[in-house]
Amino acid sequence: MQSQLRPTQGQFRNQVQDALHKKRIDEIKLIGDFATIANFIMYVSYVGEIISNLNGNPISPIQPLFAALNATLWVSYGWLKPKKDWRLIIASFPGVVFGVLAALTAMM
Protein backbone atom coordinates (compact mmCIF):
# COMPACT_ATOMS: atom_id res chain seq x y z
CA MET A 1 0.00 0.00 0.00
CA GLN A 2 2.82 2.42 0.90
CA SER A 3 4.64 1.80 -2.39
CA GLN A 4 1.47 2.57 -4.38
CA LEU A 5 1.30 6.09 -2.92
CA ARG A 6 4.91 6.98 -3.70
CA PRO A 7 5.89 7.64 -7.32
CA THR A 8 8.23 5.18 -8.94
CA GLN A 9 11.69 6.26 -10.04
CA GLY A 10 10.50 6.47 -13.67
CA GLN A 11 7.50 8.61 -12.74
CA PHE A 12 9.69 10.90 -10.66
CA ARG A 13 12.17 11.26 -13.54
CA ASN A 14 9.31 12.14 -15.89
CA GLN A 15 8.01 14.75 -13.45
CA VAL A 16 11.48 16.33 -13.18
CA GLN A 17 11.91 16.33 -16.97
CA ASP A 18 8.47 17.90 -17.41
CA ALA A 19 9.31 20.61 -14.86
CA LEU A 20 12.65 21.34 -16.58
CA HIS A 21 10.95 21.47 -19.97
CA LYS A 22 8.33 23.91 -18.64
CA LYS A 23 11.09 26.07 -17.13
CA ARG A 24 12.93 26.17 -20.46
CA ILE A 25 9.74 27.13 -22.31
CA ASP A 26 9.13 29.89 -19.77
CA GLU A 27 12.69 31.19 -20.30
CA ILE A 28 12.21 31.18 -24.07
CA LYS A 29 8.91 33.05 -23.74
CA LEU A 30 10.62 35.63 -21.50
CA ILE A 31 13.27 36.24 -24.17
CA GLY A 32 10.45 36.62 -26.71
CA ASP A 33 8.77 39.20 -24.47
CA PHE A 34 12.01 41.17 -24.11
CA ALA A 35 12.55 40.99 -27.87
CA THR A 36 9.08 42.41 -28.49
CA ILE A 37 9.74 45.31 -26.11
CA ALA A 38 13.16 45.95 -27.69
CA ASN A 39 11.53 45.96 -31.13
CA PHE A 40 9.04 48.59 -30.00
CA ILE A 41 11.80 50.77 -28.52
CA MET A 42 13.82 50.42 -31.71
CA TYR A 43 11.01 51.77 -33.88
CA VAL A 44 10.16 54.57 -31.44
CA SER A 45 13.81 55.64 -31.45
CA TYR A 46 13.57 56.39 -35.19
CA VAL A 47 11.56 59.53 -34.36
CA GLY A 48 14.59 61.19 -32.76
CA GLU A 49 16.78 60.12 -35.68
CA ILE A 50 14.40 61.61 -38.23
CA ILE A 51 14.13 64.92 -36.37
CA SER A 52 17.91 65.08 -35.91
CA ASN A 53 18.58 64.33 -39.58
CA LEU A 54 15.99 66.88 -40.75
CA ASN A 55 17.83 69.51 -38.68
CA GLY A 56 21.17 68.57 -40.27
CA ASN A 57 22.66 66.98 -37.14
CA PRO A 58 24.55 63.68 -37.18
CA ILE A 59 22.76 60.57 -35.95
CA SER A 60 22.86 59.33 -32.39
CA PRO A 61 24.17 55.83 -31.60
CA ILE A 62 21.03 55.03 -29.55
CA GLN A 63 18.93 53.72 -32.46
CA PRO A 64 21.63 51.44 -33.89
CA LEU A 65 22.39 50.12 -30.38
CA PHE A 66 18.72 49.24 -29.82
CA ALA A 67 18.55 47.72 -33.30
CA ALA A 68 21.54 45.51 -32.44
CA LEU A 69 20.02 44.60 -29.05
CA ASN A 70 16.68 43.76 -30.66
CA ALA A 71 18.31 41.61 -33.34
CA THR A 72 20.45 39.85 -30.70
CA LEU A 73 17.35 39.02 -28.66
CA TRP A 74 15.55 37.63 -31.72
CA VAL A 75 18.58 35.56 -32.71
CA SER A 76 18.72 34.22 -29.13
CA TYR A 77 15.01 33.46 -29.15
CA GLY A 78 15.28 31.56 -32.44
CA TRP A 79 18.35 29.66 -31.21
CA LEU A 80 16.86 28.66 -27.84
CA LYS A 81 13.53 27.35 -29.13
CA PRO A 82 13.23 23.56 -28.80
CA LYS A 83 13.35 23.38 -32.60
CA LYS A 84 15.74 26.10 -33.80
CA ASP A 85 14.00 28.74 -35.90
CA TRP A 86 16.61 29.20 -38.64
CA ARG A 87 14.49 31.69 -40.58
CA LEU A 88 14.34 33.99 -37.59
CA ILE A 89 18.04 33.53 -36.81
CA ILE A 90 19.15 34.21 -40.39
CA ALA A 91 16.81 37.17 -40.79
CA SER A 92 17.92 38.79 -37.52
CA PHE A 93 21.66 38.13 -37.57
CA PRO A 94 22.48 40.96 -40.02
CA GLY A 95 20.74 43.34 -37.60
CA VAL A 96 23.29 42.38 -34.94
CA VAL A 97 26.25 43.02 -37.23
CA PHE A 98 25.00 46.17 -38.93
CA GLY A 99 23.50 47.61 -35.74
CA VAL A 100 26.83 47.31 -33.92
CA LEU A 101 28.72 48.73 -36.91
CA ALA A 102 26.31 51.67 -37.22
CA ALA A 103 26.53 52.40 -33.50
CA LEU A 104 30.32 52.29 -33.54
CA THR A 105 30.54 54.62 -36.51
CA ALA A 106 28.03 57.01 -34.94
CA MET A 107 30.21 57.23 -31.82
CA MET A 108 33.35 58.12 -33.79
Side-chain angles (χ1 to χ4, degrees):
M1 180 85 156
Q2 188 76 350
S3 63
Q4 292 176 353
L5 298 176
R6 293 179 26 203
T8 64
Q9 187 175 5
Q11 290 171 332
F12 180 73
R13 186 178 321 122
N14 288 341
Q15 289 173 349
V16 170
Q17 287 175 344
D18 289 344
L20 291 173
H21 180 71
K22 183 184 178 326
K23 182 179 180 215
R24 181 158 170 86
I25 296 296
D26 290 343
E27 290 169 349
I28 292 169
K29 287 180 181 179
L30 183 63
I31 290 173
D33 291 344
F34 278 120
T36 302
I37 292 167
N39 191 36
F40 178 79
I41 292 169
M42 179 186 69
Y43 287 120
V44 169
S45 70
Y46 278 121
V47 174
E49 299 300 319
I50 293 168
I51 293 170
S52 181
N53 287 332
L54 289 175
N55 292 329
N57 299 319
I59 67 165
S60 164
I62 292 173
Q63 190 280 328
L65 284 173
F66 273 103
L69 173 64
N70 178 54
T72 301
L73 288 168
W74 280 113
V75 168
S76 300
Y77 178 76
W79 185 264
L80 293 173
K81 288 178 71 174
K83 182 180 179 192
K84 292 189 185 345
D85 189 344
W86 287 106
R87 290 180 181 158
L88 182 60
I89 294 166
I90 291 168
S92 300
F93 187 74
V96 176
V97 174
F98 294 123
V100 169
L101 289 174
L104 290 175
T105 58
M107 289 188 263
M108 293 180 160

